[in-house]
Amino acid sequence: MDINSLLSPQDSPQVTPSPSNSTPKKPRKSRTTKATGPTIPSPSTKSSLPPPALAQNAPHQISHQIVPSPPMSHPAPIIRRAADGTLDGVRSVRQGSTPGMDTLADLASMQHHQQTTRANAGGLRSTEIYESQASTNGPGMPNLHASLPGRATLDHAIPDAPSQTAPTRNLATNALSETDSETMMELVTYLATNQFAYLSHIQLIDLLHRGFRSHIQKYKSSTSSGRLPAYELIPELRSAREAMNVRFAVGETLWIDWIEDEQVLATTFDECFAVMELCQKAVHEEPASTRLWSLYAAWVTCLYAAATGDTAALESLEDVVDTPDWSAEDKLVAAEVCNRQQLMDVWARGAKATQWRIDQSHVLWNPYTELLLQDLQRSTNLDSQSALKAHFLDRLRTPHESWDRTFQMFSSFISKYENQSYEGIMTTVNQQCAGSKAAYGLREMLELAIIRAGEANNDQLQLTKFTEYIEWETAQSRRKHAFVFKLVDMLYQRVLLRFPATTEIWEGYVMFLNEEIVSHSRPDIDLLPLLDRATRHCPWSGSLWSQYLLAAERQRMPFPEIDQIKHKATNTGLLDAGGLEEVLQIYVAWCSFLRRRAFQEESTDEELDVAEVGIRSAIEDMERLGGAKYGIEYQGDPNYRLERVYIKYLTQSRNWHAARGSWKKLISSRGDSHEFWLRYYSWEMKTWGTISYSENATNAPSSPRPSEATKVLRTALKRPTLDWPERIIQVLQSHCEDHEDAAEIQASSVQIWKAKIAVKQRREKEAIEAYAAAQAQPRQQVQTLNPETSADSAISFSSGKRKREDDTRDANDETAKKPRSSEDHGNAEQAEVLANAPTELKRDRENATVVVKNLPKDTSESRIRQYFRDCGTINSLVLAAEESTNTATATIEFESKEDSLSAQTKDLKDFDGRQIEIQVGSGCTVFLSNFPPAADEQWIRDTFGSSGEIIDVRFPSLKYNTHRRFCYVQFKTADQAQKATQMNGQVVGNMLKLVAKISNPGRRQDRTGALYEGREVYVRNLDHAVTERDLKALFCKYGEVEKIRIPTNMLGRSKGFAFIAFSTKSAAKASLDMDKSKIQSRYISVEPATANGPAKRQATTVIRDDGRSTASPPPDVHMTNGDSSTAASPDASIANEQSNPSPAEIKARTVALLNVPDTVNDARIRAIAEPYGPLAKITLRPNHQGAVLEFRNVSDAGKAFLGLAGHEITPGRSLGVGEVGEMMKQKAENKHDKLGKQAVQKPNTPVFTPSTTSVRRPTQLGGKRGGRGGLPVMSKGLVKKVKQEEGAQSGVPEGAGKSNADFKAMIAGAKKDT
């Protein structure tokens, strides 16, 4: 629909309408249109009116006097009157027309004007284009980035912009070189047609200013005296600065140069007064600049001294400006303007504006206080004395750099005026104000880091230090009153003075103030002046302009003023130079405002029409912009934001048919995204609910079923290129079960069944393609493959995630040592890729968790799951009671971030009679590492319990790496988690530096090392006589061998496999040719080593006689959010230190622990087992939920067998005790905690059920098992050795006899002791 279609023929501009389909709307009741003032330009796209311009004779007008700049806020366009009396460029006001219809006409006119402008512009202009254009006109222009740090390189030409520079003339001057003069001529010519070339303005001003300073320096170095001779280019310098000020913010540095230059030139009273007005504009634009306020106050002080002759005021100034030599008449006039009250007012405003500048506030406060002391000395009275005392106290309560000097000044003041109470006053003030001094002490190192970065002229480092400073300030605790809003606010203003064109800092400042207004009840904050400054400094930022529109809407500014803001954003074209995203942001904000305005209570039909025309015009304009820049490759906004605004508008207008048509138009460009279909489906469901259940609905459907929503999902499944069909299948299944009849459910089941088969085939094909692509890529890229292209073809359609089948092969199994068949050999490399590729979607707990507050105290987990069932799959739920508020709080982890976003839509909704609050749970989880190896959940809770309430402690699974030692601690609030990070770096345990950081999955680092870099091979079926030297001799021909490991048993014998690490991946790959080679008596198998290979599924810890062990080495302290990849294996030399017992002896003193969680490491097993006797070896078997303990003594094994049975290793998890064979029958732990699956065992609910059979005691040396519950009978050959061992422990002489009754008594005594 074209804009002109809404206008009558006589009112429409003469523009050829573009063909479009107009959609019918439900008639709306008209309202009386309120008068809003004179007719204004359109609120849609660019206006045909030019922006403010300098008159052609501006340079001559300001040759003797400074011309004030236009107002900073909302400048009105300059409207010229033509010869016939009509307004040039503005259509005549039609009698009887309303502002709404005038706006529609303006929209049509602007649309035509914008199309013409785009065509003439020839597409978007970039900085490179401007540089190439400038280079054709003459020598290159100097780069002035260093003169204004932080300024973005952004020159954008607007062909139809008005001229704002003086007529070109000869710019030659003796103060500059010939090359500089030529460059100035080129800049002036260039700016005549490119009015918004930002850097060109800066370059021209810099050249003219340097010429002026050179002119002054030559005069000072000469012997001539008298008044400074005229500088030829003063008119051009003033004109260039005014032109810059009209279009952009000048910035602190340019303001200082401008003011100082004018101070040098000012001689008469009018010229001096013009400088004072210039200072006023400078401090208005940069209110936090101590340098500008100092210039302003010092200038007023000098004028006051010249007018009144009171030179005492000059004593407070460090740098005194030469006072002008006025006539008597000028002094009389100046005395009225620059009186004492005016002087004190300027100093007071400067001191207040910079009060919270912790680094330089004394620059204004100290001179102002000196003036106050002078006034007090001239006329001493109690009121002035009390006011000055309060002035000092207020200063001492404010953190600042010169706090000690302020305290000394206060001490002198008290000793002079209240000496009799000196000690009491000073003691009290020191106690009350010591906190502000300490506050500066906390920030002193941060301030010093910024100063050092500035002294090093390192802009990037200084910006980084400022950013770290801001992060530190905002992280201070509000509850403990450590957070000071004014300090943070002033810190943002300081960094913006230094880096005025850094968009990210402006955006951060605006977001900070927004949060203060919304979340911390600060309605006194006015964002409009700040956003006006921000958009002047960064007019290319669509984000800042959109925030400007939102702030104006929130403060209920009149529509003409909001229209003017939008007009200022789009009339320069600088948004185009920033990219389409910047243009899109302002259009989205503008269209959303028009939509909201159209549906207010007092809105009229004309406002509805304005909204529709504006939204459709924005969509068409974005299509033209995208087409001009990207051609046929432009596919529109990936998030179709403008189209969604339009759909929302049509939905609120109850124009369901047109809104559905808009959704269907998007299918061609967005149909491959599952998110698009889910949004479309959600809209259909909401529409169906509105129509079906509205009491006043006149077009209610004949069927109670949401058939249109079902069609959306079924249509989505028909697209073969859909990115995540599993999700659509899941939603369709749930939708049909909840809403459809039997016939539709049956029809959908057929489609779902076919879709599953197609998806399975597609995933298998993708896995093969991924394997082929991975052959030519580094191993690191293979490990970061997209989960949706995973090699695992076993797909769970109920959750849409891949499942990993646990490999239960044992490293010691005979099947693992058999040579592979010829078919397996051909797929060796494919097996490597498939084994290392991620086979399941990673859980993103930090971004998929929400916290639900204000729940009824007696609610249940099942009720909460039922309430959030439609939002997505719930992975876990933790419910905690809030005693203080008699409510409950639930922490819910969903399957994906999208599910958590869906759950947030229920914020402030009713839940069993209570209005619940839903917050994002991110930032509440702390990543811990490098804690003592034996630390368990209770140790974590005891150590970090003081930081806040701990909701959950999660240890990682050790199934694939038994040396991982980290955990995640989830707190109730983000503040508590932040407090816990204060323990980062603290020494715990055996000189271990604790790592405690906020969990951030994005910081997870890829594992490194030979295994993870693909440089390690796994050799199995080795002859037990093969040594490391033999292997190195065989494999060194393929490349440099870094390390060879042959794991051994307690007897020092090889286990029959080895790991060989090469220096390069290519060498490891070449060594696979050794596969099926015969070494000594066996054919070996060579394959790439994998992290989850069968030989990695156990960890053996050998314990020396001195108590040292090979258990769990400490993780890397540099680890940020993952686990250490270091794996240790027993050293053969350690094993050889042991005696050489027989297998029967080893079996007799071995105990197997059952039902061991796969999160428990060897150090924790050792901590609970060693109280029963010294250990020789611990073998973790997390893939069988167990551990094998080998004691040094048989009797100790018996004690542990009885004592460890039923021991609670983790809350709600009891150990079982048995033989190794029993343990090997257990499968790997399979955790299910999602809705609809087996729930995780609750605390105090034992998972392991003890066997009902009799206790099986460990077999004695060489004996056979006796009757039920009886003791084994020992062989005669070993009786003597056992007696010696037991006698040594019990003190019985070697020759003394010992019966079975004695042995029973010993076991019973051990049980009693434990």
Side-chain angles (χ1 to χ4, degrees):
M1 169 182 143
D2 192 83
I3 302 173
N4 300 282
S5 62
L6 292 178
L7 303 174
S8 58
Q10 63 271 20
D11 294 333
S12 301
Q14 299 300 317
V15 181
T16 304
S18 60
S20 180
N21 297 325
S22 178
T23 55
K25 286 196 313 197
K26 181 179 177 181
R28 182 175 180 178
K29 182 179 179 180
S30 299
R31 299 183 178 94
T32 304
T33 304
K34 299 179 181 180
T36 58
T39 303
I40 59 168
S42 163
S44 181
T45 54
K46 295 181 179 178
S47 171
S48 58
L49 297 179
L54 292 180
Q56 293 294 326
N57 59 348
H60 304 287
Q61 293 175 354
I62 63 173
S63 58
H64 300 290
Q65 176 179 338
I66 299 296
V67 178
S69 298
M72 296 294 108
S73 59
H74 320 306
I78 296 179
I79 302 177
R80 298 179 297 274
R81 190 167 298 276
D84 58 357
T86 62
L87 295 179
D88 182 16
V90 183
R91 59 180 174 81
S92 301
V93 179
R94 292 175 280 106
Q95 296 296 328
S97 174
T98 63
M101 292 307 295
D102 288 343
T103 300
L104 292 176
D106 284 339
L107 284 168
S109 176
M110 291 178 192
Q111 187 181 49
H112 172 68
H113 168 75
Q114 194 170 40
Q115 294 172 3
T116 305
T117 301
R118 299 290 183 195
N120 295 336
L124 298 177
R125 312 290 293 274
S126 64
T127 305
E128 290 77 9
I129 295 176
Y130 304 144
E131 291 174 352
S132 63
Q133 289 175 346
S135 63
T136 60
N137 296 330
M141 302 176 187
N143 188 354
L144 302 184
H145 289 277
S147 63
L148 277 180
R151 287 287 188 184
T153 306
L154 188 61
D155 277 8
H156 189 81
I158 304 300
D160 58 343
S163 175
Q164 61 178 358
T165 56
T168 58
R169 66 180 182 87
N170 184 14
L171 299 181
T173 175
N174 295 328
L176 292 174
S177 64
E178 183 178 351
T179 302
D180 289 340
S181 299
E182 292 177 356
T183 302
M184 283 193 297
M185 285 295 298
E186 293 162 4
L187 285 169
V188 171
T189 304
Y190 180 71
L191 286 171
T193 54
N194 300 275
Q195 306 296 326
F196 292 91
Y198 176 77
L199 285 184
S200 297
H201 281 284
I202 299 295
Q203 290 172 331
L204 179 60
I205 293 172
D206 181 75
L207 281 173
L208 292 168
H209 171 68
R210 284 197 288 119
F212 179 60
R213 287 297 170 181
S214 177
H215 173 76
I216 296 175
Q217 189 64 30
K218 287 182 179 181
Y219 169 74
K220 290 182 177 179
S221 61
S222 65
T223 57
S224 59
S225 60
R227 186 172 180 178
L228 177 69
Y231 175 54
E232 305 92 329
L233 301 183
I234 282 296
E236 283 72 18
L237 177 58
R238 287 171 169 166
S239 176
R241 283 169 168 164
E242 287 291 350
M244 174 78 180
N245 186 39
V246 167
R247 284 157 176 78
F248 304 100
V250 175
E252 182 187 44
T253 304
L254 289 183
W255 273 121
I256 291 173
D257 291 341
W258 192 350
I259 293 171
E260 288 179 346
D261 289 352
E262 294 297 340
Q263 286 178 346
V264 172
L265 295 172
T267 55
T268 66
F269 171 77
D270 291 339
E271 292 172 343
C272 293
F273 187 77
V275 174
M276 189 167 66
E277 290 183 337
L278 189 65
C279 292
Q280 289 177 353
K281 288 191 288 187
V283 297
H284 174 77
E285 188 164 302
E286 306 294 345
S289 173
T290 54
R291 298 174 65 189
L292 289 175
W293 275 109
S294 296
L295 279 175
Y296 182 19
W299 183 249
V300 173
T301 304
C302 290
L303 298 186
Y304 166 77
T308 62
D310 185 3
T311 58
L314 299 176
E315 296 176 0
S316 62
L317 302 180
E318 294 183 1
D319 298 324
V320 180
V321 182
D322 294 337
T323 55
D325 185 14
W326 289 334
S327 64
E329 183 179 356
D330 286 343
K331 289 183 178 181
L332 291 176
V333 177
E336 297 178 2
V337 177
C338 302
N339 52 39
R340 185 76 178 186
Q341 183 61 39
Q342 174 74 12
L343 170 67
M344 300 302 291
D345 180 66
V346 171
W347 280 105
R349 288 192 292 122
K352 184 176 181 180
T354 60
Q355 176 184 0
W356 292 92
R357 278 208 59 166
I358 198 171
D359 61 327
Q360 293 182 1
S361 57
H362 60 276
V363 173
L364 286 152
W365 190 89
N366 288 352
Y368 175 48
T369 304
E370 292 291 343
L371 292 174
L372 290 175
L373 289 172
Q374 290 179 11
D375 288 348
L376 185 61
Q377 290 176 354
R378 293 176 180 178
S379 59
T380 303
N381 59 74
L382 293 178
D383 291 339
S384 300
Q385 182 177 323
S386 299
L388 189 53
K389 182 180 179 180
H391 173 74
F392 271 109
L393 293 177
D394 182 63
R395 177 63 172 170
L396 289 171
R397 295 189 186 102
T398 305
H400 59 282
E401 182 185 37
S402 59
W403 193 92
D404 290 331
R405 180 182 175 185
T406 305
F407 192 76
Q408 289 294 334
M409 293 174 65
F410 179 67
S411 173
S412 301
F413 169 79
I414 294 298
S415 63
K416 182 175 183 179
Y417 294 99
E418 298 184 33
N419 190 41
Q420 67 280 5
S421 306
Y422 176 83
E423 293 184 0
I425 293 175
M426 297 305 296
T427 301
T428 303
V429 170
N430 189 38
Q431 293 175 351
Q432 293 178 349
C433 303
S436 61
K437 181 180 180 181
Y440 176 77
L442 294 174
R443 296 160 175 83
E444 188 171 8
M445 294 306 298
L446 296 168
E447 294 284 347
L448 183 61
I450 293 173
I451 294 173
R452 288 175 176 174
E455 292 174 349
N457 292 324
N458 191 333
D459 292 344
Q460 186 57 47
L461 177 61
Q462 192 173 35
L463 180 59
T464 301
K465 295 302 179 183
F466 265 120
T467 305
E468 293 174 354
Y469 196 172
I470 291 173
E471 292 175 354
W472 183 86
E473 283 283 11
T474 53
Q476 298 306 299
S477 173
R478 295 175 184 266
R479 182 170 56 86
K480 295 183 178 180
H481 306 290
F483 175 86
V484 182
F485 166 75
K486 292 183 179 179
L487 285 178
V488 184
D489 180 72
M490 184 56 68
L491 184 57
Y492 267 111
Q493 296 192 52
R494 285 174 58 191
V495 68
L496 288 170
L497 283 172
R498 182 68 179 84
F499 302 95
T502 305
T503 307
E504 294 77 8
I505 302 297
W506 282 108
E507 291 175 350
Y509 189 17
V510 172
M511 292 300 106
F512 165 71
L513 294 180
N514 267 326
E515 182 182 12
E516 292 296 316
I517 294 172
V518 176
S519 303
H520 302 290
S521 303
R522 292 187 182 272
D524 56 314
I525 298 176
D526 188 4
L527 279 176
L528 288 178
L530 171 68
L531 286 165
D532 182 70
R533 290 171 52 209
T535 51
R536 278 175 54 79
H537 278 286
C538 304
W540 46 82
S541 172
S543 174
L544 292 175
W545 282 112
S546 60
Q547 287 294 326
Y548 200 175
L549 287 175
L550 282 173
E553 182 183 1
R554 284 191 59 189
Q555 295 196 16
R556 300 184 179 276
M557 288 179 61
F559 179 76
E561 296 184 22
I562 299 179
D563 163 44
Q564 185 64 27
I565 295 174
K566 193 265 178 184
H567 171 76
K568 288 166 60 179
T570 56
N571 73 338
T572 65
L574 286 172
L575 286 173
D576 298 357
L580 288 183
E581 176 64 24
E582 306 299 330
V583 183
L584 185 59
Q585 287 188 56
I586 185 64
Y587 274 134
V588 170
W590 172 249
C591 293
S592 299
F593 161 70
L594 291 179
R595 179 189 61 78
R596 290 188 293 268
R597 175 174 172 267
F599 293 98
Q600 292 176 352
E601 290 295 330
E602 66 274 9
S603 62
T604 64
D605 288 340
E606 290 178 358
E607 289 167 340
L608 267 175
D609 295 336
V610 169
E612 181 171 9
V613 170
I615 296 171
R616 300 197 64 161
S617 173
I619 295 174
E620 295 170 5
D621 193 41
M622 285 304 303
E623 291 175 353
R624 285 191 296 271
L625 278 173
K629 186 169 186 178
Y630 299 106
I632 59 175
E633 297 180 358
Y634 180 67
Q635 298 296 322
D637 175 23
N639 297 317
Y640 45 96
R641 281 165 283 184
L642 286 175
E643 289 82 357
R644 281 159 49 194
V645 173
Y646 186 45
I647 291 172
K648 180 68 174 179
Y649 165 82
L650 294 173
T651 303
Q652 288 183 280
S653 301
R654 305 184 68 84
N655 194 346
W656 321 114
H657 177 74
R660 185 174 291 113
S662 297
W663 280 112
K664 291 179 178 179
K665 288 180 182 178
L666 291 170
I667 293 177
S668 59
S669 58
R670 300 287 166 256
D672 290 341
S673 170
H674 74 280
E675 294 181 350
F676 164 78
W677 290 105
L678 292 179
R679 279 199 178 107
Y680 188 4
Y681 163 73
S682 177
W683 179 85
E684 287 287 3
M685 289 299 294
K686 291 178 181 178
T687 301
W688 170 72
T690 302
I691 297 176
S692 300
Y693 300 108
S694 176
E695 297 179 356
N696 300 324
T698 59
N699 53 347
S702 58
S703 172
R705 297 183 293 107
S707 56
E708 290 294 338
T710 308
K711 290 179 183 178
V712 170
L713 296 176
R714 298 191 63 175
T715 303
L717 278 185
K718 294 178 181 179
R719 295 187 68 89
T721 54
L722 186 64
D723 58 352
W724 194 8
E726 296 92 337
R727 179 62 174 161
I728 302 299
I729 290 173
Q730 180 187 13
V731 175
L732 179 58
Q733 283 180 325
S734 301
H735 169 79
C736 291
E737 292 171 359
D738 293 341
H739 300 288
E740 292 293 352
D741 56 15
E744 183 60 39
I745 292 175
Q746 193 171 27
S748 299
S749 299
V750 174
Q751 185 179 8
I752 290 173
W753 179 75
K754 291 181 179 180
K756 287 182 178 181
I757 296 175
V759 172
K760 181 177 180 180
Q761 295 174 349
R762 172 182 167 185
R763 297 306 185 200
E764 290 175 348
K765 180 180 178 181
E766 290 173 348
I768 295 173
E769 293 174 351
Y771 159 68
Q775 286 182 314
Q777 296 177 353
R779 188 183 187 92
Q780 290 87 341
Q781 296 183 14
V782 177
Q783 293 178 350
T784 55
L785 289 174
N786 191 296
E788 293 187 0
T789 60
S790 171
D792 196 343
S793 59
I795 302 174
S796 171
F797 290 96
S798 61
S799 65
K801 287 192 175 183
R802 316 293 189 272
K803 300 294 182 183
R804 186 204 302 261
E805 294 184 2
D806 288 332
D807 183 2
T808 58
R809 293 181 301 169
D810 182 28
N812 298 318
D813 289 346
E814 291 299 324
T815 56
K817 296 183 179 181
K818 293 180 180 179
R820 292 178 298 175
S821 62
S822 58
E823 293 82 3
D824 294 336
H825 177 66
N827 295 327
E829 294 184 359
Q830 181 177 5
E832 174 194 358
V833 174
L834 299 184
N836 287 279
T839 55
E840 61 178 340
L841 293 173
K842 298 292 185 182
R843 292 176 67 172
D844 188 4
R845 290 184 176 92
E846 282 69 28
N847 295 316
T849 301
V850 297
V851 179
V852 185
K853 298 181 179 180
N854 203 34
L855 290 164
K857 187 176 182 180
D858 57 349
T859 191
S860 63
E861 291 188 11
S862 59
R863 175 69 184 96
I864 297 174
R865 290 180 181 270
Q866 180 184 11
Y867 185 80
F868 288 96
R869 178 180 58 184
D870 58 336
C871 298
T873 303
I874 296 177
N875 281 353
S876 63
L877 190 153
V878 179
L879 185 63
E882 300 287 347
E883 299 297 338
S884 59
T885 58
N886 199 28
T887 61
T889 300
T891 304
I892 307 175
E893 179 204 342
F894 287 91
E895 187 175 49
S896 66
K897 181 179 180 180
E898 291 74 17
D899 295 343
S900 67
L901 293 176
S902 177
Q904 293 175 44
T905 60
K906 295 180 179 288
D907 186 30
L908 302 180
K909 299 293 179 63
D910 181 76
F911 181 97
D912 294 347
R914 300 188 74 97
Q915 190 179 63
I916 60 175
E917 300 177 8
I918 302 178
Q919 301 175 355
V920 180
S922 60
C924 299
T925 303
V926 176
F927 168 76
L928 296 182
S929 178
N930 216 37
F931 43 77
D936 56 4
E937 180 175 341
Q938 190 59 44
W939 186 91
I940 299 295
R941 291 183 178 274
D942 293 342
T943 304
F944 290 89
S946 59
S947 299
E949 182 178 349
I950 297 177
I951 301 297
D952 190 21
V953 179
R954 302 189 301 271
F955 287 89
S957 172
L958 306 181
K959 285 194 293 185
Y960 304 106
N961 185 348
T962 56
H963 297 274
R964 306 168 84 187
R965 192 164 83 251
F966 63 90
C967 70
Y968 295 94
V969 183
Q970 183 177 357
F971 287 87
K972 188 174 181 181
T973 65
D975 290 340
Q976 294 175 356
Q978 193 67 41
K979 181 180 179 181
T981 60
Q982 296 176 3
M983 295 192 64
N984 183 57
Q986 290 193 11
V987 178
V988 295
N990 188 17
M991 300 303 293
L992 297 174
K993 283 190 176 182
L994 190 66
V995 176
K997 300 180 179 180
I998 297 296
S999 177
N1000 182 0
R1003 292 205 307 259
R1004 183 177 285 114
Q1005 297 178 347
D1006 294 335
R1007 300 175 184 175
T1008 58
L1011 173 64
Y1012 298 100
E1013 294 172 5
R1015 298 186 287 107
E1016 187 174 80
V1017 295
Y1018 170 47
V1019 184
R1020 56 190 174 95
N1021 205 36
L1022 285 173
D1023 190 289
H1024 292 287
V1026 174
T1027 64
E1028 293 182 5
R1029 181 176 301 176
D1030 297 334
L1031 290 178
K1032 186 171 184 179
L1034 291 170
F1035 283 86
C1036 64
K1037 59 185 177 182
Y1038 299 105
E1040 181 184 353
V1041 177
E1042 285 188 348
K1043 186 178 181 181
I1044 297 177
R1045 286 191 298 117
I1046 303 179
T1048 58
N1049 58 20
M1050 283 293 297
L1051 301 179
R1053 297 181 57 193
S1054 167
K1055 290 186 176 182
F1057 60 90
F1059 297 94
I1060 304 176
F1062 292 88
S1063 60
T1064 62
K1065 182 178 179 181
S1066 59
K1069 187 175 182 180
S1071 70
L1072 298 179
D1073 293 340
M1074 289 290 294
D1075 190 42
K1076 302 296 188 298
S1077 300
K1078 186 175 181 180
I1079 299 180
Q1080 296 186 9
S1081 62
R1082 294 189 182 185
Y1083 289 92
I1084 65 171
S1085 174
V1086 183
E1087 60 188 64
T1090 59
N1092 55 355
K1096 299 282 184 178
R1097 299 225 176 176
Q1098 67 179 35
T1100 301
T1101 303
V1102 179
I1103 303 173
R1104 301 172 184 256
D1105 292 333
D1106 57 5
R1108 296 166 56 195
S1109 71
T1110 61
S1112 295
D1116 187 0
V1117 295
H1118 300 293
M1119 175 176 51
T1120 57
N1121 206 11
D1123 60 274
S1124 174
S1125 60
T1126 305
S1129 64
D1131 192 345
S1133 62
I1134 300 176
N1136 290 334
E1137 293 178 4
Q1138 310 293 332
S1139 59
N1140 294 325
S1142 66
E1145 293 179 63
I1146 294 176
K1147 183 177 181 181
R1149 64 193 194 194
T1150 298
V1151 176
L1153 299 182
L1154 312 179
N1155 198 37
V1156 178
D1158 62 6
T1159 60
V1160 175
N1161 62 9
D1162 50 4
R1164 293 173 62 183
I1165 295 293
R1166 182 180 180 183
I1168 64 172
E1170 276 194 330
Y1172 297 98
L1175 290 165
K1177 184 174 66 174
I1178 301 173
T1179 303
L1180 273 184
R1181 299 308 299 263
N1183 56 323
H1184 293 289
Q1185 300 187 63
V1188 179
L1189 307 178
E1190 182 180 335
F1191 287 85
R1192 296 187 181 275
N1193 303 313
V1194 177
S1195 59
D1196 295 335
K1199 297 176 187 178
F1201 195 98
L1202 297 174
L1204 291 177
H1207 178 82
E1208 192 175 50
I1209 183 71
T1210 60
R1213 193 75 175 262
S1214 299
L1215 293 176
V1217 184
E1219 295 185 348
V1220 176
E1222 295 178 62
M1223 184 267 292
M1224 296 297 293
K1225 294 179 182 179
Q1226 293 187 137
K1227 295 184 179 180
E1229 188 173 0
N1230 192 9
K1231 301 176 182 178
H1232 297 288
D1233 58 352
K1234 298 179 183 178
L1235 185 62
K1237 298 184 180 181
Q1238 177 183 350
V1240 177
Q1241 294 291 338
K1242 297 181 180 179
N1244 304 323
T1245 305
V1247 178
F1248 172 76
T1249 304
S1251 174
T1252 58
T1253 61
S1254 60
V1255 176
R1256 302 179 62 188
R1257 295 179 174 84
T1259 305
Q1260 297 296 325
L1261 303 179
K1264 296 182 180 179
R1265 192 171 289 278
R1268 178 181 179 89
L1271 293 171
V1273 180
M1274 303 172 63
S1275 63
K1276 294 180 179 180
L1278 296 175
V1279 168
K1280 184 177 180 180
K1281 182 175 181 179
V1282 174
K1283 286 183 177 180
Q1284 291 175 350
E1285 181 179 329
E1286 294 176 353
Q1289 296 180 5
S1290 61
V1292 179
E1294 180 180 342
K1298 183 177 278 191
S1299 64
N1300 284 342
D1302 295 330
F1303 189 76
K1304 289 181 179 180
M1306 179 188 69
I1307 297 296
K1311 183 175 181 181
K1312 183 177 181 181
D1313 294 338
T1314 58

